[in-house]
Amino acid sequence: MNALAATSRNFKNAARILGLDAKIERSLLIPFREIKVECTIPKDDGSLVSYVGFRVQHDNARGPMKGGIRYHPEVDPDEVNALAQLMTWKTAVADIPYGGAKGGIGCTPGDLSLSELERLTRVFAQKIHDLIGTHTDVPAPDMGTNAQTMAWMLDEYSKFHGHSPAVVTGKPIDLGGSLGREAATGRGVVFGTEALLAEYGKSCKGLTFVIQGFGNVGSWAARLIHERGGKVIAVSDITGAVKNPNGLDIDELVKHKESTGSLLNFNGGDNMDPNEVLIHECDVLIPSALGGVLNRENASSVRAKFIVEAANHPTDPEADEILLKKGVIILPDIYANAGGVTVSYFEWVQNIQGFMWDEEKVNNELQRYMTQAFHNIKSMCKTYDCNLRMGAFTLGVNRVARATNLRGYEA
Ligand code: NAD
């Protein structure tokens, strides 16, 4: 099942549980606007190359649309659509005043030089600048993009609209980025994990963790879990996988990755088959890379007690059913990885106020939002006798439906 079908299925289940009428259900499902643009750039050798860029703006009933921009070869309209919809429910679950959007360019960023990436980002910004804005749609980094990408977008947008720091988030600090933003998604994953574990009388300390993906989200989650005394016993990324049953020294692993460009051949662990990572025995499995990695082929072999969905849509619905039957507790993506967009919201607030918070305030506020959202999800689970995914979906969908109804339908 593709990402869009899976997300729509979760939405429809939530709509049924909430008893939404058909009119509002349909209106919430259809995206507000879908944008597809051609981005042609000269390569460094002078040849021309064309890419397709997407921006799907899903819903703005609760505020400006918000969502990342992903550079990845598998970016396609269906996936961007699903991720935009997920952002609508995610911002509502986190209770921040935004709607949902997502964008991306189908490219392999690793194959492009820095100046090619800059040209590509600027051309993309030129094509969509009229359709984004501080109070319209606020992009942020996602897979394959980073603070530098946002700096180029901000600069290009400002050529058309004047200085507008709040038009993108996840910017470098020197251009109005927020302290704590870089680590925010991983930190939010850890706050969410702690809230979940506390329900079972547990904490990170002494538990075993396996993490797929060692980019922004996965590496920060790993560092913070390690800091709290959790044992990260296996980690993988696109370069391979490494394990140590006594726990990997994550700070050393980060240094090893930085110096060699790979996780492999780390002194403090053994190389392992990356396909084994998701089915490695552990207390908590944290998929932090791609969507759809837990599916009907591998779900029955998963040996984790808890899954924390740091990536977007890592579990397809068939795997979801298999894992629930096995008694695995899943903390869903629309909550678990909401830390990034929550601190993006703090960044936007700081830009609009022209006032910078210190990092402690950012982290404390993030913990407050993540903990409150977890309790709100649990309360929906109790009201509707449902699992955490449906608790999160009913919470988010209900908030968006209420805002939509309050706005009314008169043309
Ligand atoms: P990133 O590009 O920094 O890192 C992605 C990681 O996944 C890299 O380590 C890469 O090597 C690894 N990877 C790619 N293909 C893989 C494969 N086949 N097997 C194992 N590892 C593989 O991206 P990120 O920002 O860390 O995002 C990771 C996930 O988290 C994505 O699903 C993204 O949508 C989601 N997410 C990110 C943010 C954010 O703020 N960055 C916020 C919310 C959700």
Side-chain angles (χ1 to χ4, degrees):
M1 189 178 289
N2 72 27
L4 182 58
T7 306
S8 301
R9 186 166 121 157
N10 285 326
F11 164 76
K12 282 181 180 161
N13 279 341
R16 183 182 43 76
I17 292 171
L18 291 166
L20 291 190
D21 78 36
K23 180 183 69 179
I24 187 150
E25 183 178 329
R26 189 170 152 68
S27 139
L28 292 184
L29 211 48
I30 299 173
F32 171 80
R33 178 157 48 203
E34 293 180 72
I35 304 155
K36 183 175 174 185
V37 293
E38 178 216 336
C39 301
T40 299
I41 56 158
K43 299 256 292 173
D44 292 344
D45 65 8
S47 62
L48 285 182
V49 59
S50 295
Y51 299 95
V52 181
F54 302 95
R55 186 76 181 163
V56 174
Q57 300 175 329
H58 177 255
D59 192 276
N60 60 2
R62 299 181 64 262
M65 294 167 284
K66 186 85 191 81
I69 295 199
R70 173 179 285 205
Y71 288 179
H72 192 273
E74 279 162 32
V75 164
D76 70 29
D78 262 8
E79 196 198 23
V80 177
N81 214 316
L83 294 170
Q85 194 195 128
L86 272 181
M87 285 305 296
T88 299
W89 317 135
K90 188 183 301 184
T91 52
V93 167
D95 206 10
I96 53 180
Y98 284 142
K102 201 77 176 191
I105 300 180
C107 67
T108 306
D111 291 352
L112 298 176
S113 71
L114 199 63
S115 58
E116 288 166 344
L117 280 172
E118 176 172 352
R119 285 196 286 279
L120 182 59
T121 304
R122 287 187 185 278
V123 169
F124 187 46
Q126 285 163 20
K127 298 280 171 97
I128 65 169
H129 76 89
D130 268 339
L131 301 168
I132 61 172
T134 300
H135 298 288
T136 318
D137 176 5
V138 184
D142 194 272
M143 211 156 71
T145 56
N146 54 29
Q148 177 62 73
T149 322
M150 293 303 111
W152 293 325
M153 283 207 80
L154 165 64
D155 187 64
E156 202 58 34
Y157 181 88
S158 299
K159 287 179 188 165
F160 295 94
H161 303 274
H163 182 57
S164 322
V167 70
V168 288
T169 60
K171 299 178 290 289
I173 305 291
D174 290 328
L175 290 177
S178 176
L179 294 169
R181 173 60 182 86
E182 200 213 321
T185 306
R187 194 178 291 280
V189 165
V190 175
F191 287 148
T193 305
E194 288 181 318
L196 173 67
L197 292 174
E199 288 283 308
Y200 296 85
K202 297 176 194 288
S203 70
C204 290
K205 197 172 168 62
L207 294 191
T208 54
F209 294 79
V210 167
I211 302 182
Q212 185 197 44
F214 204 61
N216 174 286
V217 180
S219 70
W220 275 107
R223 268 181 264 202
L224 296 165
I225 287 164
H226 183 64
E227 225 175 77
R228 285 159 169 73
K231 282 196 226 174
V232 181
I233 57 170
V235 165
S236 72
D237 74 357
I238 194 80
T239 66
V242 59
K243 66 177 174 184
N244 182 336
N246 300 316
L248 294 155
D249 182 331
I250 299 300
D251 297 329
E252 288 303 314
L253 186 60
V254 169
K255 283 185 206 151
H256 171 79
K257 174 79 202 280
E258 274 165 10
S259 63
T260 67
S262 167
L263 290 177
L264 293 175
N265 306 322
F266 174 53
N267 264 339
D270 299 313
N271 294 345
M272 72 183 284
D273 178 354
N275 296 320
E276 296 289 310
V277 164
L278 294 168
I279 57 172
H280 200 62
E281 189 164 358
C282 62
D283 294 307
V284 187
L285 172 65
I286 310 187
S288 317
L290 304 176
V293 292
L294 292 167
N295 45 49
R296 73 169 161 209
E297 271 82 54
N298 59 9
S300 54
S301 309
V302 167
R303 287 182 288 163
K305 299 181 186 71
F306 300 92
I307 295 175
V308 175
E309 295 184 335
N312 282 314
H313 180 58
T315 314
D316 77 19
E318 286 163 321
D320 213 20
E321 275 174 30
I322 297 168
L323 292 164
L324 288 173
K325 277 194 194 124
K326 275 166 66 95
V328 182
I329 310 291
I330 303 177
L331 198 62
D333 50 5
I334 58 167
Y335 165 70
N337 65 32
V341 73
T342 302
V343 175
S344 272
Y345 164 57
F346 300 160
E347 179 176 332
W348 182 80
V349 166
Q350 292 170 73
N351 294 152
I352 289 171
Q353 288 186 330
F355 183 80
M356 199 165 171
W357 301 357
D358 65 28
E359 192 167 351
E360 194 185 347
K361 177 168 164 92
V362 172
N363 293 345
N364 287 344
E365 285 294 315
L366 175 60
Q367 185 165 26
R368 194 168 68 79
Y369 270 74
M370 290 302 295
T371 308
Q372 183 59 50
F374 182 79
H375 293 305
N376 291 340
I377 292 169
K378 285 295 292 181
S379 147
M380 295 304 264
C381 293
K382 205 167 157 198
T383 305
Y384 294 110
D385 187 24
C386 59
N387 61 42
L388 288 165
R389 190 182 308 284
M390 271 308 113
F393 265 87
T394 50
L395 178 65
V397 170
N398 198 33
R399 283 182 171 151
V400 181
R402 275 203 319 252
T404 307
N405 274 329
L406 284 165
R407 283 171 179 271
Y409 297 90
E410 290 298 320

